[in-house]
Amino acid sequence: MSYPYGQSGYPGQYGQPPPPPQHQQYPPPGQYPPQQGPPSGYPPQQGYPPQGNPYPPGPGAQYPPQGQYPHAGQYPPPQGSPYPAGGQYPPPQASPYPAQGGYPPAQPYGAPPNQGYGPPSGPPPNQYGAQPPPQQYPPQYGGGGGPPTAPSLGYGPPQIIQWDATPDAQALRSAMKGFGTDEKNLIRALSTKDPLQIEAIKSTYFRNFSRTLEKDIASETSGWLETGLISIVRGPLLHDVHLLHSAIDGPGTKEKVLNDVLLGRSNADIRAIKSIYQQTFHRSLEGDVKGDLSMKTERHFLIVLGAGRAEDSAPVIPQAIDQDVMELYRATEGKIGTDEMMVCSILSTRNDNQIRAINQAYEIKFRRRLEDVIRKEFSGHMEQALLYQLRHAVDKYAHAAALLEDAMAGAGTKDHLLVSRVVRYHWDRAAMENIKSAYQSRYRKSLASRIKGETSGDYERLMLGCIGERV
């Protein structure tokens, strides 16, 4: 919903923005206004690996450095970590076990999404608030600017790895065979594996014992231990799909689950989630979302499900950031009322680097934090969804730490959120180390000690195992 680049001026019928600072480059190096304290709901930036200034230090510098927010693995995993290094698996070969199938074919680079999801038709073309046709978007947005972002591990087509799953499959069968269940060995065997290893274990377990690992675990365990182990055995993609179905299918909508699963995701991951949801439940995810959310929030999530987000490789262009900042101003503070769909569109179709630059530029220009503007202009689920998208882009590790604290804060632990969030973050071990450091910096205690205070028994051991503690 951006105006074409090169368009001069802005619609005169909306409030005029304050004049820009005089004699100032964009953005002024080193002249960002100091924060008046950490944004509400997630930790400050100090105390764990700095992300670096996303603006260039001087003329000719890249604006901002792409792919450097922040480097995964800035916190090295514990010595002797049993987790394989990410991305070091051999090339995919023919899978020896049943493929999940249903993955959408890769689209040509720069092609628009297959589905025409997004904001419903609104004002006539060329008027403020109208949805421009795809060709009017700047080329660096909507998937341009470089190769598409690869799907997360476990969200692409099945692949074989050069790793022997037989010992773990045997250990799992031994832990559940006969009288009683050895929960500790179940936890040790499953909490330390990545998505590809989990798939290999499931295949080997079925081949060797003619039994389904998920069904055996469901019959041998219970409570939140069962919930956590089943979440791991399903793998990240199927876990997301089942979370969405349970959030939509039951009474009411678990809004935080929808936010956790769908917001801030790559186009490839969104397409995989939609495909496997359809394959698993024989219903379209878009159709279920349409019937379960209020009108404008529904439109927001349909933009997200349209998978039209700028790829991570799309550059940050100063003029484009200026334009987005002005559009956000005119959609909120610069007019009577709020153009919700303009704000939703910008935060749902820009990549993390672009949103981070927009966030900083908005504060420079108007001396107000974009987060505070969203809090003032929005409410309910839409407010929380927009804050989620903003916070994830600004500092995804600090945001994840705040989400984990949210699951444990207050009276009683929100166990369904704690389990789903810990399992989601545990798939990426380097990211988990950064999240643990961000948690320590913000809350002055370790994530492990916090979990110990909120859980017990085998449930506690599983959560600790997933965050990399010895159990």
Side-chain angles (χ1 to χ4, degrees), residues 63-64 66-67 109 139-147 149 309-317 349-354:
Y63 178 90
Q66 301 295 310
Y109 169 69
Q140 69 269 24
Y141 287 154
T149 305
R309 193 172 192 258
E311 302 293 349
D312 290 347
S313 56
V316 175
I317 307 298
T349 59
R350 307 306 190 244
N351 65 29
D352 287 350
N353 286 333
Q354 292 162 353

Side-chain angles (χ1 to χ4, degrees), residues 84-100:
Q88 296 186 9
Y89 295 103
Q93 305 176 29
S95 175
Y97 46 93
Q100 292 179 346

Side-chain angles (χ1 to χ4, degrees), residues 121-278:
S121 58
N126 300 324
Q127 289 192 15
Y128 181 75
Q131 172 75 357
Q135 66 270 18
Q136 291 185 12
Y137 277 111
Q140 69 269 24
Y141 287 154
T149 305
S152 302
L153 193 64
Y155 290 78
Q159 55 183 291
I160 190 172
I161 59 174
Q162 299 299 322
W163 180 75
D164 185 10
T166 302
D168 285 294
Q170 182 61 58
L172 289 166
R173 184 69 193 121
S174 298
M176 294 183 284
K177 188 177 181 180
F179 181 76
T181 302
D182 187 346
E183 290 86 355
K184 289 184 180 179
N185 276 336
L186 290 180
I187 293 168
R188 291 186 183 118
L190 294 173
S191 65
T192 60
K193 303 303 186 293
D194 71 22
L196 302 185
Q197 290 174 319
I198 290 293
E199 291 302 316
I201 289 172
K202 288 195 294 185
S203 174
T204 302
Y205 191 91
F206 183 80
R207 185 172 60 248
N208 290 354
F209 308 113
S210 300
R211 302 175 68 92
T212 303
L213 179 57
E214 182 176 335
K215 290 182 178 179
D216 280 357
I217 288 175
S219 67
E220 295 291 332
T221 60
S222 62
W224 294 113
L225 172 65
E226 176 190 351
T227 301
L229 290 174
I230 293 297
S231 299
I232 292 172
V233 168
R234 283 175 173 165
L237 176 54
L238 203 56
H239 178 219
D240 278 349
V241 163
H242 279 274
L243 282 173
L244 288 172
H245 186 258
S246 64
I248 294 171
D249 194 51
T253 302
K254 299 181 179 66
E255 297 168 347
K256 289 184 177 181
V257 174
L258 294 184
N259 295 348
D260 284 355
V261 175
L262 295 176
L263 301 181
R265 304 298 294 267
S266 69
N267 296 332
D269 286 1
I270 289 290
R271 286 191 285 265
I273 289 169
K274 291 195 300 183
S275 178
I276 299 304
Y277 188 95
Q278 174 75 50

Side-chain angles (χ1 to χ4, degrees), residues 326-340:
M326 295 308 304
E327 288 180 347
L328 287 170
Y329 175 83
R330 290 195 312 277
T332 55
E333 298 182 285
K335 70 188 295 287
I336 298 175
T338 304
D339 185 347
E340 293 94 345

Side-chain angles (χ1 to χ4, degrees), residues 301-312:
F301 275 82
L302 290 179
I303 296 173
V304 172
L305 289 172
R309 193 172 192 258
E311 302 293 349
D312 290 347

